[in-house]
Structure formats: structure tokens, C-alpha cells
Amino acid sequence: MKKEFSQNLGFFGLFLCMLTTILALGSIIYFIAARGFSVLSWSFLTQVPYSAMTKGGIAPVIVGTFYITLGAIMFALPLGIACAVYLCEYSPKSIVVNIIRISINNLAGVPSVVFGLFGLAVFVKFFGFGVSILSGSLTLGILALPMIISSAQEALLAVPQSIREASLSLGATKWGTIKNIVLPTALPGILTGVILSIGRVAGETAPILFTAAAFYTRGYPKSVFSEVMALPYHIYALMTEGAHPDKQRAIAYGCSLVLLFLVLFISGFAIFLRQRQRSLYG
Amino acid sequence: MDNKIKMQAKNVDFFYGKNQALKNVNLNVYANKVTAMIGPSGCGKSTFIRLFNRMNELVAHTTLKGKILLDDLDINSPLVDAVDIRKRVGMVFQKPNPFPKTIFENISYGLKVNGIKDKAFIEQKVEDSLKKAVIWAEVKDRLNDSALKLSGGQQQRLCIARCLAVETEVILFDEPCASLDPISTAKIEELILELKKDYSIVIVTHNMQQAARVSDYTGFFLLGELIEFGKTQDIFTAPKDKKTEAYITGRFG
């Protein structure tokens, strides 16, 4: 009897912890939706802002976030996969390589504002790209790199040794095996990591603060050297700057809701891909 | 023995780190014959067969002493590329290991890595290989299905077909039936007997009846040493070494 009681108490404790997590998530979605839903409309998503941000929509902001995110992934994806392939397939097991691995993991722990300052010093100033889509994409790309590398490494390690051997035994070269067998097999796993990092990159504020984002630009960005508006920074700006705090606040919640949906949508896609990968090996 | 020698192991010692896995092994693989390696687990027979297509190179910290010859060519010579050896010496593994691709792509892969691009030729070759491996009838209507949907026995025959498509001269079978049911096993054994017309075959097996059924020559390994090697008939009816006799009569192993 006594044993059963303590067991039930334990289960109840676990249940409470789970409930707290769900509650936190639920209340975030509820409060953001309750305050932001009223400003959502077709024109909010498709028009440019005017009257000091209080009227019109946020289309250029969404477009800006899209460009910066796309740029970051285009930069980080090939680099990250190449790095993971080297570490998993080619690098000898040595102390140096271990240090590299540890460094990559530490890179993931660097606060995002530090990436922002780094981007300012290197891309904006040193390379002279200015505050631009290019600088912001590169900065966010570096932020995404450790995530992409570690998910790619995991995916590569999950490829069974037996099919590598099969490929080599047929007279394929090592690179041919990696290109034709290992990478395609690991691709769904790599993509899952990529998509999760897209979600992260799209939502980051600090790295683009000094490297890409502007409070207001006239219309849409014209080239990779343009400043842009981006959702996370736009929310921050609406809440802290401008002359109409009350009107701006509702729009900020609207933007948050759009960002939330964007990231939820992206994560949903990642889960879909992972399921598909599992069914492939099931 | 007046048969033509296809492959030869000469004074082979092999080490994993400091552990010696093979001790001074000398053995001939005869052309168009089936050579079986038997022995208890961990005796070194799988390690030995993987020397014939330089698969052990993939394992770190290994050392090979002695020579492996393929038609008088020292396959470990610095002038020889492992890739070229593997195009001549194919392998079928213990567990079926089809690629997570379609049935067709599994077979055509070996042709593509060898630089063949002619589509009609590839299609013909895929069909021929699947027919030779006696799996054509079962898969001909679903060549574009994933190979992973096939049963274990079918997958193993697919892996054999994949190996056949490359037109090697030797095929190494590393316990090809270890994970298969008796019916699939019988099919594979039949296939091996058929294949020896065109190939020289080496097979590692746990199963002594299998060795007796399919092989022309048998080598018995124990603790990294080749205890006895000879015609299968002689090994099974009149073993010269007491250890061979003890193993074959089931007193250990």
C-alpha cells in the first residue's frame, strides 16, 4: 500500500512538471494571440507601413526577415555540411580535432549579442559591407553554423557503416560513397537540423541589431547591401521607439503573432521531415 | 591440385592494434571453385576474408604482414589502388545491406561508379544481374520500390545481384546466410553453386553442413591459425588434424 502511494505521488509530481511546461507555452500563445489578433488582416500582411508605422502593413518586414534568413542558411548550410563531413568522415582522431569539436559546441553557447558585435566589427566595418542584408545574413549564418554542424554530424553518424562498406566494396571511391550514399541517406536528418535553425535564425534580434536591421526603410530592400526591416527587431523598435506607443504596441503583438506562426510552421515542417525519415528505415 | 590459383595468401599475419588476429596463414583460392572458411566465432575467418578486397583498411590501427596475391598481383602494393581491387573482388556481407534506394538503383549504382552511363546497357545489366541472382521474378514489377521493403532473403539476393552487376572475378561471401531462414539459405547456396561457373568464390560460414554442401575446398581456422586446408571431401571425411576432427564432429565450437 505504502509503496503504491509513494509511486502515485511521484507520478503526480511528474505530471505537475509537465503541466507547468504546457501552461507556459499555452499562455504565451494565448496572450500574444489575444493582443495581436485584432491587427491581423490581409492588408497587414501585404502592405507597406505608413503614417509613422501606425497604419498599413508589415510586408517589407516579413520580406526582410525572409531575405536575411535565406541568406544565413545559404551561407551556413554548405559550410556546415562540409565541416560535418570533414569531421565525421575524413578527420583523423587526434587531439586537435577533439578541440575543434569542443569549440564548435562552445560556439553554440556564445550569447547572440556577442555574434552581433562580432558581425558589426567584421562584416559591417572590416569587410565594409555596411549595415545590410549581407552582413546580417553572414552574422546569423555563423550563429546557425554550430546547430547545422552538430545535426549534420549526428545524421552522418547514423548512416550505418554496413552501407558504406557495401558502396566501397563495389569499387566506389571514398568521396563517391559520401556523395552518392552517405549524404543522401543523411539528408533528412540534416534537413531537420537546418529547419530548426531556420526557426532560430528567423527569431533572433541581437545579431541583426547592429548588422542589418533598420527601424524604418522606405519600401522593399533593393540589393544585398540594403538595410532591412526584420520581424524581431521591428517588434523591439515598435515597443521602444516612435511617437505613438499605444498604436504601435498592438502592431508589435501582431508582428509577434506572425513571427510565432512562421516559426511554428517551420518547426511543423521539420517534424514532418523527421517522420518521413523514420518511416524510410522503419 | 592442378587447378588454376586465383588468389593467394602468403605468410599472412594480421594485427588489431597489438592483438594478433591471424598467424602465418597460407591459403590458395582456386579459380572457379568455392573455398569455404570454417571455425568458431572469433577465429579470424571474417578478418581473413576481408583482406582479399582490402576491407580491413577501413578499421583504424591494423597491421598486415605477408602478401595477398590476385593473379600474381600484390594487392597491397603501394602502386595498387584499393578501388581497382574491389572492382575485381566483390563482397556479399553478413547482414543484407541494400542502399536506402530503389531496387533498380541498388543494382545500377555499381555500374555508375564505374563510369557507365549508357542507359540501355544499364537497364539490360540490371535485368541480367537480377536474373542471375534468381530474384528477377520477385521484383520485376517493382523495380522502383525501396529495396528496404524486401524480405531479408530477398535483400541478400539483391546484394548478390548488386555484386554481380560489377562483373568481378572473385566474390567473397562473409557468412551470407547468418541472418536468413532455411529456405532463403537454400536459395543462396544453390546460387553459389551456379555462380562458380563464372566466378572464384570464397565463403565464410558458421555452418559446417553449408561448407560441406557448397564448397570444393575448406580451411579450418582456430584462434587465428589456419589449422588445416584441403579438399572439402578430405577435410570432412579424413581430417589430418585432431582439432579439425574435434570441431567437425561437434566436440567444440
Side-chain angles (χ1 to χ4, degrees), chain A residues 77-271:
Chain A
L77 184 59
L79 201 63
I81 292 179
C83 188
V85 166
Y86 176 75
L87 286 173
C88 282
E89 310 285 337
Y90 285 103
S91 69
K93 287 192 178 81
S94 71
I95 298 171
V96 180
V97 171
N98 266 335
I99 292 171
I100 294 175
R101 273 175 218 271
I102 293 167
S103 310
I104 290 167
N105 288 337
N106 279 336
L107 197 61
V110 172
S112 56
V113 70
V114 176
F115 282 107
L117 282 175
F118 168 80
L120 175 68
V122 175
F123 301 125
V124 178
K125 300 287 183 201
F126 183 75
F127 286 113
F129 298 150
V131 174
S132 62
I133 293 179
L134 184 61
S135 297
S137 290
L138 291 173
T139 309
L140 284 173
I142 290 177
L143 177 106
L145 259 183
M147 278 181 280
I148 290 179
I149 292 172
S150 55
S151 68
Q153 269 185 306
E154 250 169 67
L156 289 172
L157 288 175
V159 175
Q161 185 64 22
S162 65
I163 65 169
R164 293 166 207 255
E165 286 188 349
S167 171
L168 291 169
S169 79
L170 292 167
T173 57
K174 184 164 184 176
W175 169 239
T177 299
I178 291 170
K179 187 178 63 150
N180 297 313
I181 301 294
V182 178
L183 278 177
T185 309
L187 198 63
I190 297 174
L191 280 183
T192 308
V194 168
I195 286 161
L196 288 175
S197 64
I198 290 177
R200 171 89 193 278
V201 162
E204 276 292 347
T205 319
I208 56 170
L209 205 58
F210 322 118
T211 57
F215 176 49
Y216 179 73
T217 59
R218 197 175 281 274
Y220 295 91
K222 288 181 185 60
S223 81
V224 291
F225 295 108
S226 307
E227 284 186 300
V228 282
M229 295 189 280
L231 279 167
Y233 180 69
H234 196 63
I235 294 163
Y236 171 76
L238 284 168
M239 296 300 283
T240 56
E241 292 171 39
H244 309 278
D246 291 337
K247 285 180 185 167
Q248 286 172 204
R249 192 168 300 139
I251 297 174
Y253 279 110
C255 287
S256 304
L257 198 57
V258 171
L259 185 57
L260 209 59
F261 273 121
L262 208 69
V263 174
L264 274 180
F265 174 75
I266 290 168
S267 303
F269 192 56
I271 292 165

Side-chain angles (χ1 to χ4, degrees), chain A residues 161-163 165-173 176-177 180-181 184-185 280-281, chain B residues 50 55 58 83 86-87 91 93 97-101 109 113-114 148 162-163 166:
Chain A
Q161 185 64 22
S162 65
I163 65 169
E165 286 188 349
S167 171
L168 291 169
S169 79
L170 292 167
T173 57
T177 299
N180 297 313
I181 301 294
T185 309
L280 201 69
Y281 293 100
Chain B
R50 288 164 65 94
M55 267 307 175
L58 307 177
V83 168
R86 292 176 191 141
K87 284 174 185 170
M91 186 167 222
F93 296 81
N97 53 358
F99 302 126
K101 293 174 178 285
Y109 178 74
V113 300
N114 285 296
L148 300 177
R162 181 172 70 183
C163 184
V166 187

Side-chain angles (χ1 to χ4, degrees), chain B residues 6-22:
Chain B
K6 186 69 191 172
M7 292 194 85
Q8 223 174 343
K10 279 188 165 176
N11 306 321
V12 166
D13 290 307
F14 190 78
F15 301 83
Y16 291 108
K18 281 177 185 153
N19 285 334
Q20 186 160 12
L22 293 170

Side-chain angles (χ1 to χ4, degrees), chain A residues 168 171-173, chain B residues 54 70 73 75 79-89 114 168-169:
Chain A
L168 291 169
T173 57
Chain B
R54 290 178 60 174
L70 170 63
L73 169 75
I75 68 167
L79 301 172
V80 174
D81 188 349
V83 168
D84 295 326
I85 295 302
R86 292 176 191 141
K87 284 174 185 170
R88 297 178 60 189
V89 183
N114 285 296
T168 57
E169 298 155 37

Side-chain angles (χ1 to χ4, degrees), chain B residues 125-158:
Chain B
K125 197 79 204 166
V126 168
E127 184 176 335
D128 291 349
S129 307
L130 289 167
K131 276 179 178 162
K132 261 195 215 163
V134 206
I135 188 176
W136 174 249
E138 291 154 73
V139 300
K140 65 173 192 277
D141 298 322
R142 46 181 183 140
L143 292 176
N144 291 318
D145 279 9
S146 168
L148 300 177
K149 284 185 188 163
L150 298 172
S151 73
Q154 289 173 326
Q155 286 187 3
Q156 194 63 305
R157 274 178 286 146
L158 182 78

Side-chain angles (χ1 to χ4, degrees), chain B residues 41-84:
Chain B
S41 297
C43 68
K45 58 193 190 300
S46 279
T47 299
F48 183 62
I49 198 176
R50 288 164 65 94
L51 290 174
F52 286 110
N53 63 344
R54 290 178 60 174
M55 267 307 175
N56 283 330
E57 276 170 25
L58 307 177
V59 184
H61 310 298
T62 54
T63 326
L64 168 69
K65 287 178 187 158
K67 278 185 180 169
I68 306 280
L69 303 180
L70 170 63
D71 291 334
D72 299 328
L73 169 75
D74 178 0
I75 68 167
N76 293 298
S77 145
L79 301 172
V80 174
D81 188 349
V83 168
D84 295 326

